[in-house]
Amino acid sequence: MKQKRDNYAEIIFDAISENEAFARIIVAGFIMPLDPTIDQLNELKTIVSEAVTNCIIHGYENRGGKIKLTLESYHNEVTITVVDYGKGIEDLNRAKELFYTSKPEEERSGMGLTIMEIFSDEFHIHSKMGEGTIIKIKKNLDYTKEKYA
Amino acid sequence: MPLSVHLFIKADTLFVRLSGELDHHTSFQLRERINSLMDKYEIRNMIFNFKNLSFMDSSGIGVILGRYNQVKRNKGILIVCELNSMIEKIIKVSGLYKILVITKDEEQASNYLGVA
């Protein structure tokens, strides 16, 4: 089989909810040449959707701002980074707890970070109050290494 | 792809047929449309049909949980059906599996509620 070429893309877009679908389409397009399984494709779309939604609702508290999405592929591994320059997360351990949400009145399920962690092979989050949040995930698309059978 | 919402009522059960993508952006429209019917009619149960839903993330889980709480207040039942493998995975992760009734299709759901 032909060696897949490494690839890199970055895009900056407004933190508005219309761009959640846009971000999913970008990710789907980027990983297509890597022949992902349908599950892998859906998991990466879900991860990005969760990350971008968090930037909009929590990072910028629906007041808008910029989101930077970076995509990298190296052999069969995809790295996705989602950055916002918003308010940051005060208590990261609490934010990571399953079902914890800082906005229960908005019917948030409190599952975003958990889903990102479950659907990725590596999950990192860095946040600084007043400066923003960086989420970085890695996923290997080699189907023989699938976590889910 | 946007979300398209088809709603109809049979007896005291609201049928919610979704197609397209359910995320944070499209969840507002779904919540508002269901809530406006809840205000006008006596609705006890809900059946969500995900047959043509191609995407759902945790925002969708939030909407379903919110409707579950509404239905529960009236001692009703919330059923979800026609789950594809991805939506099933999200519902499992969320623990919704433990509190919702899940059926294969609308017919099974209607039989369960006795509104066939």
Side-chain angles (χ1 to χ4, degrees), chain A residues 25-42:
Chain A
I25 290 168
I26 293 170
V27 169
F30 184 84
I31 65 166
M32 268 318 165
L34 301 171
D35 294 327
T37 64
I38 290 177
D39 275 359
Q40 290 167 340
L41 174 65
N42 277 322

Side-chain angles (χ1 to χ4, degrees), chain A residues 17-18 20-21 24-25 39 42-43 45-46 49-50 53 56-57 62 98-99 106-109 111-112 114-115 118-119 148, chain B residues 1 21-28 31 54-59 61-67 85-86 89-90 93-95:
Chain A
S17 62
E18 286 85 342
E20 292 154 8
R24 293 197 294 272
I25 290 168
D39 275 359
N42 277 322
E43 285 169 7
K45 280 167 73 179
T46 308
S49 198
E50 301 291 352
T53 302
I56 296 168
I57 299 177
N62 300 310
L98 184 58
F99 306 130
E106 289 180 26
E107 286 188 352
R108 306 300 312 162
S109 64
M111 289 178 43
T114 306
I115 286 176
I118 289 174
F119 286 175
Y148 307 93
Chain B
M1 198 201 286
E21 303 191 326
L22 177 54
D23 62 7
H24 163 242
H25 180 68
T26 57
S27 67
F28 294 98
R31 189 179 296 119
S54 55
F55 179 85
M56 181 170 89
D57 62 14
S58 74
S59 299
I61 298 291
V63 182
I64 296 170
L65 260 177
R67 304 297 73 69
S85 69
M86 192 60 205
K89 206 183 273 179
I90 288 271
V93 170
S94 70

Side-chain angles (χ1 to χ4, degrees), chain B residues 19-45:
Chain B
S19 57
E21 303 191 326
L22 177 54
D23 62 7
H24 163 242
H25 180 68
T26 57
S27 67
F28 294 98
Q29 165 205 355
L30 175 61
R31 189 179 296 119
E32 271 165 32
R33 290 199 43 202
I34 291 177
N35 285 349
S36 76
L37 284 182
M38 296 284 284
D39 291 343
K40 274 186 236 153
Y41 303 95
E42 291 270 324
I43 292 167
R44 192 150 171 243
N45 310 305

